[in-house]
Amino acid sequence: MVDRLRARTLSFLTGLVLAISLAGIRPIQAQEVLLTPEQASHEIFPEQAKIVRDAKAISPAVKHQLEKQLGRRIDEDSLIVSRVFDAHNTFVGYTVVTEEIGKYRPITFMVGVTPQLTVRDVAVLVYRESRGGDVKRKRFLSQYRGKRATDPIDLDRDIINISGATISVRSMNAGVKRVLAELTAVYGTSPTK
Amino acid sequence: MSRFASSLALLCAVPAMAIQAQQPVLPDSVVRQLTRMQQQIDSLRRVTERQDERIIALDEHASTATRSSTDSANRPTPSARGIYGKPFVRRFGSGTAIGGYVSTEFRSEYVNDLGKRRSAFDAHRIVPFIFSEITDRLHFGTEIEFEHGTKLEVEDGEAEGAGELSVEFATLDYRFTEALNLRAGVILSPVGRFNLTHDDPINELTDRPLVTQQVVPGTLSETGFGFFGTLYPTERSLVTYEAYVVNGFTDELVELEPGDHRLNVREAAGSRGAADATTKNYVARLGVSPMLGVELGASVHTGEYGEGVETSGEEEHNATIVALDGSWRRGPFEVLAEAARLRAGLSDSLRTAGVSNGREGYYVQGNYRFGHGWLTPKPTSFFTGVIRWDQADYATDKTGDDQRRLSVGLNWRPIGDAAFKGEYQWNWSTPFGTTTRDPVERRVLFSIATYF
């Protein structure tokens, strides 16, 4: 029994070492560019045929209201929004590229939002941390689908944590909630054409 | 960037060519082009400088931010990734970080054997940990545990005093890929999920589950080598594994006091050092998460126990712990469960003496989080209601000698990394050799635990 187990263990370890040799050792990249904004936009809105970029000013009054609503400081004075249209020129949603600080470095991601101001999907564009990278996977990001500005978007309320990536998860939560609040403040809840 | 490089190359090349050509007058078109390129270079330089300033500002913001903005609040479902799942709040250059956790408690209980109630404060654990990224691939992590307000004095090479001091783990990790990492040192043994995620601030109850103390001898850490990693078979699933060869369980497993019949698993962990020959045991855990919020794990710790010196004519005996664990999370709800069984081969003399060949047990726990922001600090505070059922059989092939426990608790967390825990327990025990339960022993516990 023990001899069999030893043999199996040795085989397992040898297999792993061979796997390393065959697979090669890829360099570890601290800054991982996962998607360009164009790729992310197409991923969130596959029907995308045209985009129109808006630069919307955030007035001091709106900024103050957002800060009160979100309980945090808002640094931006403007919001760069891409409005997405399909082949029939029908407005299908907004995309906003934004950043939030992870544990030490910013995470750059795109929030895709429907005309009804619910999250269509979220895609991470650049991940710079050496840990906590699970937040870039669909496994985690799909939780944001359908979220509204009025939802908690908070750990253990409507977002499941990733163990070992709690800080990155909190950053993503804060970023998605901020984008929803900013879009609501800038465009209101009626569909925009 | 390539435009920038081309421009630089052109700028360098053109003057050199000009000198060779005995300084001819440059045509206006070339001058205009050079001027445009210089402007582009200046513009790019300004953009780069702005980006650098922004990155530096973001870094400074991150490193000087208050605890509430950088801590890992809401860490109730613990990481199975050991040191990589812990919060670190101070970094001392060159990638070294330090942190830790502390827990202190009060317990009041009625003890049947004493026939009276007793109570005590306990500075239960002070556990500093250090983590260092020596290179991108090579990492070191350690956790040193001081238990029960350790006060030790060394006289004639012997430590005397109260409490315990131990290196909980001290591992060197070398990362080949995310799927394959080498680990060596004093390893936190992956036998069940709880052994990997036992930090007091994470756990919702003050007392640890019986099965994780009495069947898996937690906190179980052993010296050895092996591999761990994470695989993503599909977009939504995740598989983690750990597999190590470690110094095996010692003869302490069956070194019992006269009249004792339980396997002494809590003292059986293998030697940490190289002073003695040891047997080798194999320990591994496979975790499968088909979707976020669901994880199932299976673990095994197996091999020969003893002193590792082959003696002719002496029988070899194995000890094996098998554990299954699972967790489920959805919104504010969480369910945790773990079951483990220990089986050991025994010599004829031990069997004749009535020593049991095994232990087993399980626990099931439900957590419900509520009251977010009811109390200050409002953005981060919340309550957790907890209920847990524990069962452990300390002598599986004998009558009696088992324990059952029902625990209910209410915790308040000002942030996810700190907990004020209140707990009430009912304990039912059946003495060895009988089928009649002793009267219930009730216990009240209060504790505070936090990462720092």
Side-chain angles (χ1 to χ4, degrees), chain B residues 190-234:
Chain B
V191 191
R193 186 181 169 84
F194 193 92
N195 198 56
L196 300 170
T197 58
H198 59 267
D199 293 2
D200 293 334
I202 291 172
N203 294 307
E204 300 292 1
L205 293 172
T206 303
D207 274 355
R208 295 174 176 179
L210 292 172
V211 66
T212 66
Q213 302 294 289
Q214 302 296 339
V215 182
V216 178
T219 305
L220 178 61
S221 46
E222 300 163 298
T223 304
F225 276 71
F227 294 94
F228 69 96
T230 305
L231 304 157
Y232 299 91
T234 66

Side-chain angles (χ1 to χ4, degrees), chain A residues 103 131 164, chain B residues 75 79-88 97 99 128-132 139-143 169-171 173 183 188 196 199 228:
Chain A
K103 189 157 186 171
R131 300 270 161 214
Chain B
R75 190 184 295 273
S79 163
R81 298 173 188 187
I83 195 89
Y84 300 115
K86 295 176 188 295
F88 296 98
F129 42 75
I130 301 164
F131 174 72
S132 185
H139 303 156
F140 171 72
T142 188
E143 195 171 287
F169 67 82
T171 52
D173 294 347
R183 173 166 286 173
L188 208 52
L196 300 170
D199 293 2
F228 69 96

Side-chain angles (χ1 to χ4, degrees), chain A residues 151-161 170 173, chain B residues 73-76 204 330-334 367-385 410-416:
Chain A
D151 288 329
I153 313 184
D154 197 6
L155 287 174
D156 299 313
R157 298 175 79 181
D158 55 351
I159 298 294
I160 298 172
N161 192 16
R170 291 186 69 208
N173 288 349
Chain B
N74 294 294
R75 190 184 295 273
E204 300 292 1
R330 191 160 189 88
F333 295 99
E334 181 179 39
N367 303 326
Y368 175 67
R369 299 188 175 88
F370 63 98
H372 293 78
W374 282 4
L375 298 180
T376 306
K378 289 194 173 184
T380 56
S381 74
F382 61 95
F383 290 88
T384 309
L410 180 65
N411 302 342
W412 177 66
R413 289 178 183 267
I415 57 170

Side-chain angles (χ1 to χ4, degrees), chain B residues 332-363:
Chain B
F333 295 99
E334 181 179 39
V335 178
L336 307 169
E338 188 167 319
R341 168 182 279 192
L342 162 68
R343 285 283 181 276
L346 299 175
S347 65
D348 291 342
S349 59
L350 287 168
R351 274 199 295 270
T352 309
V355 174
S356 169
N357 69 355
R359 292 179 174 216
E360 63 188 28
Y362 71 89
Y363 82 90

Side-chain angles (χ1 to χ4, degrees), chain A residues 5 38 168-169:
Chain A
L5 188 67
E38 290 73 25
S168 296
V169 172

Side-chain angles (χ1 to χ4, degrees), chain A residues 2 5-6 20 25-26 28 101 104-105 131 134 137 139 142-143 155-157 161 163 166-167 170, chain B residues 59 61 70-71 73-74 76 79 81 84 91 137 139 180 232 236 282 289 292 302 318 329 331-332:
Chain A
V2 175
L5 188 67
R6 279 179 185 153
I20 303 169
I25 300 170
R26 285 174 299 170
I28 294 172
I101 295 168
Y104 297 108
R105 297 196 167 274
R131 300 270 161 214
D134 285 359
R137 296 184 183 276
R139 175 181 152 83
S142 60
Q143 296 185 92
L155 287 174
D156 299 313
R157 298 175 79 181
N161 192 16
S163 40
T166 309
I167 294 170
R170 291 186 69 208
Chain B
D59 282 350
H61 173 75
T70 59
D71 67 24
N74 294 294
S79 163
R81 298 173 188 187
Y84 300 115
R91 295 177 75 88
R137 294 184 185 280
H139 303 156
L180 188 62
Y232 299 91
R236 300 195 181 263
Y282 307 94
S289 173
L292 194 66
T302 189
N318 291 335
R329 279 176 286 160

Side-chain angles (χ1 to χ4, degrees), chain B residues 124-145:
Chain B
H124 201 152
R125 292 185 184 90
I126 301 167
V127 185
F129 42 75
I130 301 164
F131 174 72
S132 185
E133 288 195 351
I134 299 153
T135 71
D136 281 346
R137 294 184 185 280
L138 182 62
H139 303 156
F140 171 72
T142 188
E143 195 171 287
I144 298 156
E145 186 168 81

